[in-house]
Amino acid sequence: MDQEKQWIKKIKRNANNEAANKLISKYYKEMYAFVYKQTLDAELSLDLTQEIFISVLKSINRFDDYKASFRTWLYRIASNRLVDYYRSKHYKYRQLSESIDGHDFEDEEDVTVSLEYKEDVENITSIVNELETNSQQIVRLKLFAEYTLQEIAAIVQVPQSTVKTRYYAALKLIKKEMKEHRYE
């Protein structure tokens, strides 16, 4: 953790490229995985992850380690970027189909399970996209980054009871929508 603070100081002080590269390298795979779990698109995830780190470096002077850890601050930026993406015109007009060419499936059952999983994730993501911004952030951090409700409360800076209320209300809505979708 001390090493991380030193990198951040160097970046803030004189835009040190080496320190920036080390800081990004430390969190890149974790951020990419967080984004990929929500998009299921490798190329898009790479683009969004890059945009997240560009935002981080542009706004690093506003980072205050007395308010939150760097990791917490990073997830706040990432979840905001994902909310912005899903609200964008680019997303709304983009096809969410992914070719299954190039995937090696053992048998037909693997293909079916994989397609059902992808469809479920897409359905959940589309339901989450319709939630208000605060609820979206909470659900994304819980489902895709696997934070605890207490950690999420620190990230979004609201009481844990509010996080619980929003999370369970969103979960109830997701379950209801998924049930209705299955019977259509």
Side-chain angles (χ1 to χ4, degrees):
M1 205 55 128
D2 291 332
Q3 184 70 55
E4 183 177 290
K5 286 181 181 180
Q6 289 175 356
W7 294 332
I8 293 168
K9 280 182 186 172
K10 286 180 180 179
I11 298 166
K12 284 182 172 182
R13 201 176 307 126
N14 58 2
N16 185 297
N17 283 337
E18 184 182 345
N21 288 337
K22 287 179 179 177
L23 187 64
I24 290 168
S25 293
K26 179 177 179 179
Y27 289 101
Y28 191 85
K29 285 181 182 175
E30 183 178 346
M31 278 299 104
Y32 175 81
F34 174 66
V35 173
Y36 184 80
K37 286 178 186 177
Q38 295 174 72
T39 64
L40 298 179
D41 181 317
E43 198 169 310
L44 174 61
S45 296
L46 288 171
D47 290 345
L48 290 173
T49 303
Q50 182 177 2
E51 290 174 21
I52 289 164
F53 283 109
I54 289 169
S55 293
V56 164
L57 293 175
K58 283 182 176 178
S59 61
I60 193 115
N61 287 322
R62 291 192 301 257
F63 168 67
D64 181 353
D65 64 349
Y66 292 108
K67 291 183 179 176
S69 71
F70 179 77
R71 185 172 182 266
T72 297
W73 185 71
L74 177 60
Y75 269 98
R76 187 177 307 137
I77 290 172
S79 62
N80 284 334
R81 179 61 192 103
L82 281 157
V83 168
D84 291 345
Y85 170 73
Y86 281 115
R87 285 191 175 155
S88 72
K89 288 181 183 174
H90 174 75
Y91 168 73
K92 290 179 179 163
Y93 295 112
R94 185 175 181 269
Q95 278 189 305
L96 285 177
S97 61
E98 178 186 57
S99 170
I100 58 171
D101 294 341
H103 290 290
D104 292 329
F105 295 108
E106 293 296 316
D107 56 28
E108 195 175 305
E109 190 174 311
D110 281 352
V111 173
T112 305
V113 168
S114 194
L115 289 174
E116 286 173 358
Y117 172 77
K118 184 178 187 304
E119 186 179 316
D120 283 347
V121 170
E122 287 175 353
N123 289 335
I124 290 169
T125 300
S126 83
I127 295 165
V128 170
N129 293 342
E130 299 301 316
L131 298 172
E132 50 110 0
T133 304
N134 295 328
S135 294
Q136 273 191 52
Q137 282 185 302
I138 291 166
V139 171
R140 289 179 193 290
L141 290 168
K142 182 71 175 144
L143 296 181
F144 302 111
E146 299 172 8
Y147 272 104
T148 66
L149 294 174
Q150 185 176 359
E151 291 168 327
I152 294 168
I155 292 171
V156 297
Q157 298 175 325
V158 297
Q160 187 174 343
S161 60
T162 304
V163 169
K164 280 183 182 177
T165 302
R166 289 178 183 163
Y167 176 70
Y168 289 115
L171 255 179
K172 189 175 179 181
L173 177 70
I174 291 168
K175 286 178 183 176
K176 178 182 172 232
E177 295 282 329
M178 290 295 286
K179 192 179 274 187
E180 287 175 8
H181 177 77
R182 287 209 167 95
Y183 292 115
E184 286 179 358

